[in-house]
Amino acid sequence: MKEIRTIEGTFTDVGGRYAVVVSRFNSFVVESLLQAALDTLIRHGVKEKDIEIIRVPGAWELPVAVKKLVDRGGFDALIALGAVIRGGTAHFEYVAGEAAKGIATIQNASGVPVSFGVLTVDTIEQAIERAGTKAGNKGADAALSALEMVSLCRQL
Ligand code: INI
């Protein structure tokens, strides 16, 4: 095993510039994701001046904003945050599916990491569990993934 070269990201002195794209829909949950994402970036040494927050109406609008920001350039990674809660409506499938597909397409085409911090859950309780209670905070997780990918991409 000692002979196998391994390339991986680290979390020390990563730095870089980050855009956090945040949807307003279900803001009572999404604001907790945002605060945790910002806290994670800053506690890992990212400067406030190197973080930009962009707000969109809902998860449906995340891909177009992500695309504009990637095209504008200057960001090492983006973090997309939102919460799509099923709540008995078929709308869920479209919004969640298009948000995920749109963001993945932009990430893969551009080579710029875009963390997917969009909750896709059945109930409000499940959303709350993932926004700072018993299942952690997916905003913090998304920020950690962004940091790791920035560090990794520099080495690839
Ligand atoms: N947007 C969300 O971010 N989460 C949801 O749960 C949601 N639901 O359930 O409808 C939602 N809809 C709005 C959508 O993202 C667009 O903003 C809207 O359709 C206007 O384009």
Side-chain angles (χ1 to χ4, degrees):
M1 293 288 275
K2 273 194 297 188
E3 297 298 314
I4 301 175
R5 192 162 94 100
T6 302
I7 304 170
E8 60 187 352
T10 71
F11 296 98
T12 47
D13 299 324
V14 179
R17 297 199 66 229
Y18 298 81
V20 188
V21 190
V22 193
S23 56
R24 294 183 196 278
F25 208 99
N26 293 321
S27 62
F28 68 101
V29 170
V30 180
E31 285 305 307
S32 297
L33 303 181
L34 173 61
Q35 289 314 313
L38 297 175
D39 181 63
T40 299
L41 291 177
I42 287 164
R43 283 192 296 116
H44 283 81
V46 177
K47 304 275 180 279
E48 285 191 16
K49 68 174 175 51
D50 292 326
I51 304 172
E52 199 167 319
I53 298 170
I54 297 92
R55 293 189 186 272
V56 297
W60 178 264
E61 285 79 21
L62 286 169
V64 70
V66 166
K67 171 85 168 68
K68 294 261 182 205
L69 292 161
V70 165
D71 288 349
R72 192 223 280 178
F75 295 108
D76 295 282
L78 285 75
I79 300 165
L81 301 177
V84 193
I85 304 174
R86 187 184 297 274
T89 166
H91 203 54
F92 170 94
E93 308 290 350
Y94 299 113
V95 174
E98 289 304 315
K101 195 165 55 160
I103 290 167
T105 301
I106 299 157
Q107 171 178 249
N108 296 339
S110 66
V112 178
V114 185
S115 286
F116 189 69
V118 180
L119 303 179
T120 54
V121 293
D122 289 329
T123 64
I124 289 173
E125 187 182 36
Q126 288 172 350
I128 291 168
E129 282 172 8
R130 292 159 177 75
T133 59
K134 63 185 178 188
N137 189 305
K138 297 301 171 195
D141 294 349
L144 277 178
S145 296
L147 288 161
E148 183 173 348
M149 286 305 295
V150 169
S151 171
L152 175 66
C153 286
R154 287 195 189 125
Q155 302 172 62
L156 293 176

PDB file of all heavy atoms in Angstrom, residues 23 25-26 57-61 83-85 89 91-92 95, ligand 1:
ATOM      1  N   SER A  23     -31.372  29.731  -1.813  1.00  0.00           N
ATOM      2  CA  SER A  23     -32.760  29.968  -2.198  1.00  0.00           C
ATOM      3  C   SER A  23     -33.567  30.469  -0.991  1.00  0.00           C
ATOM      4  O   SER A  23     -33.298  30.107   0.154  1.00  0.00           O
ATOM      5  CB  SER A  23     -33.381  28.717  -2.819  1.00  0.00           C
ATOM      6  OG  SER A  23     -33.276  27.630  -1.955  1.00  0.00           O
ATOM      7  N   PHE A  25     -36.930  30.131  -0.656  1.00  0.00           N
ATOM      8  CA  PHE A  25     -38.053  29.234  -0.348  1.00  0.00           C
ATOM      9  C   PHE A  25     -37.682  28.378   0.870  1.00  0.00           C
ATOM     10  O   PHE A  25     -36.560  27.889   0.968  1.00  0.00           O
ATOM     11  CB  PHE A  25     -38.321  28.337  -1.563  1.00  0.00           C
ATOM     12  CG  PHE A  25     -39.735  27.867  -1.683  1.00  0.00           C
ATOM     13  CD1 PHE A  25     -40.626  28.489  -2.540  1.00  0.00           C
ATOM     14  CD2 PHE A  25     -40.180  26.793  -0.924  1.00  0.00           C
ATOM     15  CE1 PHE A  25     -41.938  28.034  -2.662  1.00  0.00           C
ATOM     16  CE2 PHE A  25     -41.478  26.339  -1.033  1.00  0.00           C
ATOM     17  CZ  PHE A  25     -42.372  26.954  -1.905  1.00  0.00           C
ATOM     18  N   ASN A  26     -38.611  28.189   1.772  1.00  0.00           N
ATOM     19  CA  ASN A  26     -38.340  27.456   3.022  1.00  0.00           C
ATOM     20  C   ASN A  26     -37.187  28.105   3.790  1.00  0.00           C
ATOM     21  O   ASN A  26     -36.304  27.419   4.331  1.00  0.00           O
ATOM     22  CB  ASN A  26     -38.030  25.975   2.740  1.00  0.00           C
ATOM     23  CG  ASN A  26     -39.228  25.221   2.206  1.00  0.00           C
ATOM     24  OD1 ASN A  26     -40.344  25.444   2.643  1.00  0.00           O
ATOM     25  ND2 ASN A  26     -39.002  24.336   1.253  1.00  0.00           N
ATOM     26  N   PRO A  57     -34.997  32.984  -5.745  1.00  0.00           N
ATOM     27  CA  PRO A  57     -36.323  32.717  -5.146  1.00  0.00           C
ATOM     28  C   PRO A  57     -36.472  31.284  -4.595  1.00  0.00           C
ATOM     29  O   PRO A  57     -36.956  31.095  -3.481  1.00  0.00           O
ATOM     30  CB  PRO A  57     -37.291  32.950  -6.311  1.00  0.00           C
ATOM     31  CG  PRO A  57     -36.552  33.815  -7.278  1.00  0.00           C
ATOM     32  CD  PRO A  57     -35.101  33.458  -7.137  1.00  0.00           C
ATOM     33  N   GLY A  58     -36.108  30.291  -5.409  1.00  0.00           N
ATOM     34  CA  GLY A  58     -36.289  28.906  -4.978  1.00  0.00           C
ATOM     35  C   GLY A  58     -35.226  28.018  -5.584  1.00  0.00           C
ATOM     36  O   GLY A  58     -34.389  28.468  -6.387  1.00  0.00           O
ATOM     37  N   ALA A  59     -35.273  26.729  -5.228  1.00  0.00           N
ATOM     38  CA  ALA A  59     -34.261  25.792  -5.716  1.00  0.00           C
ATOM     39  C   ALA A  59     -34.273  25.690  -7.240  1.00  0.00           C
ATOM     40  O   ALA A  59     -33.241  25.435  -7.866  1.00  0.00           O
ATOM     41  CB  ALA A  59     -34.496  24.419  -5.095  1.00  0.00           C
ATOM     42  N   TRP A  60     -35.430  25.908  -7.823  1.00  0.00           N
ATOM     43  CA  TRP A  60     -35.556  25.875  -9.287  1.00  0.00           C
ATOM     44  C   TRP A  60     -34.605  26.871  -9.954  1.00  0.00           C
ATOM     45  O   TRP A  60     -34.085  26.633 -11.037  1.00  0.00           O
ATOM     46  CB  TRP A  60     -37.014  26.203  -9.663  1.00  0.00           C
ATOM     47  CG  TRP A  60     -37.322  26.266 -11.114  1.00  0.00           C
ATOM     48  CD1 TRP A  60     -37.362  27.385 -11.896  1.00  0.00           C
ATOM     49  CD2 TRP A  60     -37.656  25.175 -11.971  1.00  0.00           C
ATOM     50  NE1 TRP A  60     -37.700  27.056 -13.178  1.00  0.00           N
ATOM     51  CE2 TRP A  60     -37.887  25.707 -13.254  1.00  0.00           C
ATOM     52  CE3 TRP A  60     -37.791  23.792 -11.768  1.00  0.00           C
ATOM     53  CZ2 TRP A  60     -38.242  24.899 -14.337  1.00  0.00           C
ATOM     54  CZ3 TRP A  60     -38.138  22.996 -12.844  1.00  0.00           C
ATOM     55  CH2 TRP A  60     -38.356  23.551 -14.114  1.00  0.00           C
ATOM     56  N   GLU A  61     -34.397  28.009  -9.294  1.00  0.00           N
ATOM     57  CA  GLU A  61     -33.572  29.084  -9.867  1.00  0.00           C
ATOM     58  C   GLU A  61     -32.086  28.926  -9.538  1.00  0.00           C
ATOM     59  O   GLU A  61     -31.275  29.744 -10.009  1.00  0.00           O
ATOM     60  CB  GLU A  61     -34.061  30.454  -9.373  1.00  0.00           C
ATOM     61  CG  GLU A  61     -35.342  30.945 -10.028  1.00  0.00           C
ATOM     62  CD  GLU A  61     -36.612  30.326  -9.470  1.00  0.00           C
ATOM     63  OE1 GLU A  61     -36.585  29.822  -8.332  1.00  0.00           O
ATOM     64  OE2 GLU A  61     -37.645  30.324 -10.186  1.00  0.00           O
ATOM     65  N   ALA A  83     -33.920  24.038   0.130  1.00  0.00           N
ATOM     66  CA  ALA A  83     -34.678  22.966   0.775  1.00  0.00           C
ATOM     67  C   ALA A  83     -35.932  22.706  -0.048  1.00  0.00           C
ATOM     68  O   ALA A  83     -36.762  23.605  -0.203  1.00  0.00           O
ATOM     69  CB  ALA A  83     -35.050  23.349   2.200  1.00  0.00           C
ATOM     70  N   VAL A  84     -36.016  21.510  -0.592  1.00  0.00           N
ATOM     71  CA  VAL A  84     -37.212  21.121  -1.327  1.00  0.00           C
ATOM     72  C   VAL A  84     -37.929  20.076  -0.471  1.00  0.00           C
ATOM     73  O   VAL A  84     -37.382  19.012  -0.193  1.00  0.00           O
ATOM     74  CB  VAL A  84     -36.870  20.567  -2.726  1.00  0.00           C
ATOM     75  CG1 VAL A  84     -38.136  20.480  -3.569  1.00  0.00           C
ATOM     76  CG2 VAL A  84     -35.839  21.442  -3.429  1.00  0.00           C
ATOM     77  N   ILE A  85     -39.129  20.451  -0.050  1.00  0.00           N
ATOM     78  CA  ILE A  85     -39.886  19.605   0.879  1.00  0.00           C
ATOM     79  C   ILE A  85     -41.133  19.110   0.163  1.00  0.00           C
ATOM     80  O   ILE A  85     -41.937  19.909  -0.321  1.00  0.00           O
ATOM     81  CB  ILE A  85     -40.240  20.401   2.154  1.00  0.00           C
ATOM     82  CG1 ILE A  85     -38.954  20.955   2.800  1.00  0.00           C
ATOM     83  CG2 ILE A  85     -41.011  19.521   3.134  1.00  0.00           C
ATOM     84  CD1 ILE A  85     -39.175  21.878   3.987  1.00  0.00           C
ATOM     85  N   THR A  89     -46.952  17.421  -2.742  1.00  0.00           N
ATOM     86  CA  THR A  89     -47.126  18.022  -4.067  1.00  0.00           C
ATOM     87  C   THR A  89     -46.160  17.436  -5.096  1.00  0.00           C
ATOM     88  O   THR A  89     -44.984  17.225  -4.801  1.00  0.00           O
ATOM     89  CB  THR A  89     -46.943  19.561  -4.027  1.00  0.00           C
ATOM     90  OG1 THR A  89     -46.800  20.031  -5.361  1.00  0.00           O
ATOM     91  CG2 THR A  89     -45.747  19.983  -3.222  1.00  0.00           C
ATOM     92  N   HIS A  91     -45.024  18.949  -7.526  1.00  0.00           N
ATOM     93  CA  HIS A  91     -44.072  20.009  -7.839  1.00  0.00           C
ATOM     94  C   HIS A  91     -42.667  19.621  -7.358  1.00  0.00           C
ATOM     95  O   HIS A  91     -41.668  19.964  -7.975  1.00  0.00           O
ATOM     96  CB  HIS A  91     -44.553  21.277  -7.112  1.00  0.00           C
ATOM     97  CG  HIS A  91     -44.067  22.553  -7.699  1.00  0.00           C
ATOM     98  ND1 HIS A  91     -44.247  22.882  -9.016  1.00  0.00           N
ATOM     99  CD2 HIS A  91     -43.406  23.604  -7.134  1.00  0.00           C
ATOM    100  CE1 HIS A  91     -43.710  24.077  -9.233  1.00  0.00           C
ATOM    101  NE2 HIS A  91     -43.188  24.522  -8.122  1.00  0.00           N
ATOM    102  N   PHE A  92     -42.641  18.916  -6.219  1.00  0.00           N
ATOM    103  CA  PHE A  92     -41.385  18.497  -5.595  1.00  0.00           C
ATOM    104  C   PHE A  92     -40.455  17.824  -6.589  1.00  0.00           C
ATOM    105  O   PHE A  92     -39.282  18.141  -6.670  1.00  0.00           O
ATOM    106  CB  PHE A  92     -41.703  17.537  -4.433  1.00  0.00           C
ATOM    107  CG  PHE A  92     -40.506  16.847  -3.848  1.00  0.00           C
ATOM    108  CD1 PHE A  92     -39.855  17.385  -2.741  1.00  0.00           C
ATOM    109  CD2 PHE A  92     -40.025  15.652  -4.380  1.00  0.00           C
ATOM    110  CE1 PHE A  92     -38.760  16.742  -2.185  1.00  0.00           C
ATOM    111  CE2 PHE A  92     -38.933  15.014  -3.834  1.00  0.00           C
ATOM    112  CZ  PHE A  92     -38.300  15.560  -2.735  1.00  0.00           C
ATOM    113  N   VAL A  95     -38.957  20.318  -9.136  1.00  0.00           N
ATOM    114  CA  VAL A  95     -38.026  21.308  -8.551  1.00  0.00           C
ATOM    115  C   VAL A  95     -36.744  20.618  -8.086  1.00  0.00           C
ATOM    116  O   VAL A  95     -35.630  21.060  -8.416  1.00  0.00           O
ATOM    117  CB  VAL A  95     -38.702  22.075  -7.390  1.00  0.00           C
ATOM    118  CG1 VAL A  95     -37.705  22.987  -6.701  1.00  0.00           C
ATOM    119  CG2 VAL A  95     -39.887  22.881  -7.907  1.00  0.00           C
TER     120      VAL A  95
HETATM  121  N1  INI B   1     -38.770  25.838  -4.124  1.00  0.00           N
HETATM  122  C1  INI B   1     -37.972  25.353  -3.168  1.00  0.00           C
HETATM  123  O1  INI B   1     -36.818  25.799  -3.042  1.00  0.00           O
HETATM  124  N2  INI B   1     -38.413  24.364  -2.336  1.00  0.00           N
HETATM  125  C2  INI B   1     -39.660  23.834  -2.437  1.00  0.00           C
HETATM  126  O2  INI B   1     -40.002  22.946  -1.615  1.00  0.00           O
HETATM  127  C3  INI B   1     -40.511  24.323  -3.461  1.00  0.00           C
HETATM  128  N3  INI B   1     -41.856  23.776  -3.593  1.00  0.00           N
HETATM  129  O3  INI B   1     -42.183  22.809  -2.913  1.00  0.00           O
HETATM  130  O4  INI B   1     -42.645  24.238  -4.390  1.00  0.00           O
HETATM  131  C4  INI B   1     -40.047  25.363  -4.305  1.00  0.00           C
HETATM  132  N4  INI B   1     -40.816  25.862  -5.277  1.00  0.00           N
HETATM  133  C5  INI B   1     -40.502  27.124  -5.925  1.00  0.00           C
HETATM  134  C6  INI B   1     -39.567  26.964  -7.089  1.00  0.00           C
HETATM  135  O5  INI B   1     -38.247  26.700  -6.649  1.00  0.00           O
HETATM  136  C7  INI B   1     -39.515  28.236  -7.947  1.00  0.00           C
HETATM  137  O6  INI B   1     -38.977  29.301  -7.195  1.00  0.00           O
HETATM  138  C8  INI B   1     -40.891  28.647  -8.479  1.00  0.00           C
HETATM  139  O7  INI B   1     -41.514  27.577  -9.154  1.00  0.00           O
HETATM  140  C9  INI B   1     -40.765  29.845  -9.466  1.00  0.00           C
HETATM  141  O8  INI B   1     -39.945  29.528 -10.590  1.00  0.00           O
END
